[in-house]
Amino acid sequence: MSSSKLKRGVVSTAAIVVGVGLLAACGANDAQEGDSDTKVIALLLPESSTTRYEAFDKPLFEAKVQDVCGDECEVVYFNADQDEAKQTQQVDSAISQNADVIVLDPVNGAGAGGMVRTAQESGAEVIAYDRFIEGADYYLSFDNETVGRMQGEALVEATGGTGGILMLNGAPSDPNAAQFKSGAHEAIDASGLEVLAEYDNPDWSPDNARTWTTDQLARFDAGDIAGVYAANDGQAGGVIAALTGAGVDPTALPPITGQDAELAAIQRIVAGEQAMTIYKPIKVEAEKAAEVAVALAKGEDVGETTDYEGVDSFIFDPIVVTADNVNDTVIADGFYSVEDICTADYADACTAAGIGA
């Protein structure tokens, strides 16, 4: 136990001693003393424009904490809305609520070291969730260079490895984005594909992706674009909107990559508008993070870890999803149901792809 956490315990003990004569007269103090036994776990996510965070990470994490810890643990939740300053304030708020463990998915991983140190000085342990933070106590994520390499390999295969492509990478502030980009270039640069233009997209914005792609269509004929590397599904949606807005037939779009297995992306894949996405089983990641957080809060062993840049880590494997394996991946895992995917607009495409069969 760190000296700062021990200090917090001493202060709490002193308060109980001072107030002992009042306990019989004030029932509220009994509740307060009981509350002090509750383990507080803070979950801080970076933004809500990517649908996974609010739709999957948060509820899956909270449900698992409840399952393994029940009323002994309380989850306090924050979303930074892609604002670093706001996230710093949220860490301070978590500390003020006596968080035992802070699960932090940083807006800017490279700049999150100060938040980690502040949290650790308060006595809390920090889990870097999905994005690496140097100095964190633990780190959970997927193999991000492998994600990018899988995307790049899929694009090379879909294009036949020849022609010009556009590349839309993630936010420069996101350490994962650099890893996706590196992995993608490993596959693309070894092929016959030519990168016509490349963009590192602030905030991963789908609107930015659409605007940038529209700008490229003023430089290159749509027919000269053999494919598009989009680092995530939100950007893929922006690319498709730009191409169809410029008159490209939705059935004649070039191969476009993605990531996150968003529902809209799975539907686009079934309809033949998007070539692939990367499915990172968020349930595995979120539930493991919850288990580790509870173990840390209770002072228990977290199990076997691997080393990632000096931090004890849990690294998970990503999965490529195409129209051929939707049944065997996101549907088989219960991530989406057939009914979720095969709405009226996609019923015929689902039938043609054998979805739900």
Side-chain angles (χ1 to χ4, degrees):
M1 179 180 290
S2 71
S3 61
S4 53
K5 181 169 270 190
L6 191 60
K7 187 183 297 182
R8 192 168 69 193
V10 170
V11 172
S12 299
T13 302
I16 292 170
V17 170
V18 170
V20 69
L22 300 176
L23 290 177
C26 185
N29 283 356
D30 292 328
Q32 189 172 16
E33 185 179 355
D35 289 345
S36 69
D37 294 332
T38 301
K39 305 300 182 183
V40 178
I41 298 170
L43 175 64
L44 293 90
L45 298 181
E47 45 98 350
S48 55
S49 61
T50 303
T51 59
R52 59 166 286 188
Y53 293 117
E54 297 287 335
F56 295 103
D57 296 82
K58 175 181 181 287
L60 287 168
F61 180 90
E62 291 176 334
K64 191 63 175 181
V65 170
Q66 175 65 30
D67 180 51
V68 299
C69 196
D71 293 338
E72 295 179 56
C73 294
E74 174 191 1
V75 176
V76 292
Y77 174 66
F78 305 88
N79 191 299
D81 297 317
Q82 202 62 40
D83 185 330
E84 289 184 58
K86 182 176 181 179
Q87 191 165 66
T88 299
Q89 294 170 354
Q90 291 172 341
V91 169
D92 292 340
S93 179
I95 291 169
S96 74
Q97 295 179 59
N98 290 331
D100 297 281
V101 180
I102 294 177
V103 181
L104 176 61
D105 190 341
V107 173
N108 180 0
M115 289 188 284
V116 169
R117 289 189 293 273
T118 299
Q120 290 169 336
E121 287 167 2
S122 79
E125 294 189 81
V126 179
I127 298 172
Y129 180 74
D130 203 55
R131 297 173 180 175
F132 182 73
I133 312 172
E134 185 176 355
D137 296 291
Y138 292 90
Y139 170 53
L140 292 94
S141 190
F142 290 83
D143 186 335
N144 295 316
E145 286 209 15
T146 296
V147 169
R149 186 167 59 253
M150 285 176 162
Q151 292 172 311
E153 288 170 348
L155 189 60
V156 171
E157 181 178 354
T159 59
T162 60
I165 65 166
L166 303 178
M167 286 193 71
L168 292 95
N169 305 305
S173 62
D174 181 349
N176 289 5
Q179 295 169 15
F180 302 144
K181 180 179 177 178
S182 175
H185 268 291
E186 182 181 331
I188 291 167
D189 294 351
S191 74
L193 292 174
E194 176 190 0
V195 178
L196 300 173
E198 186 168 2
Y199 176 51
D200 293 346
N201 185 353
D203 303 337
W204 293 87
S205 166
D207 289 338
N208 288 349
R210 179 174 184 169
T211 299
W212 183 83
T213 303
T214 299
D215 290 343
Q216 304 319 302
L217 292 172
R219 300 176 57 201
F220 309 104
D221 290 338
D224 293 333
I225 299 172
V228 181
Y229 171 81
N232 74 337
D233 291 333
Q235 293 194 89
V239 169
I240 291 168
L243 290 170
T244 56
V248 177
D249 189 317
T251 64
L253 291 163
I256 300 164
T257 67
Q259 176 184 185
D260 291 330
E262 292 186 357
L263 178 58
I266 298 297
Q267 291 173 323
R268 290 194 297 262
I269 288 169
V270 170
E273 297 175 357
Q274 183 171 324
M276 56 80 71
T277 188
I278 294 290
Y279 171 44
K280 298 182 296 186
I282 297 169
K283 181 179 174 68
V284 173
E285 183 182 24
E287 291 189 347
K288 186 62 177 179
E291 291 171 355
V292 172
V294 170
L296 291 174
K298 291 184 172 183
E300 298 172 353
D301 182 40
V302 303
E304 185 176 352
T305 62
T306 187
D307 177 81
Y308 183 86
E309 297 190 13
V311 176
D312 291 333
S313 301
F314 300 86
I315 306 297
F316 312 106
D317 294 326
I319 301 168
V320 171
V321 176
T322 66
D324 292 334
N325 68 345
V326 169
N327 278 328
D328 300 327
T329 53
V330 294
I331 292 177
D333 285 358
F335 197 63
Y336 300 120
S337 68
V338 173
E339 291 73 23
D340 290 333
I341 299 167
C342 300
T343 58
D345 289 341
Y346 295 93
D348 291 343
C350 281
T351 299
I355 304 302

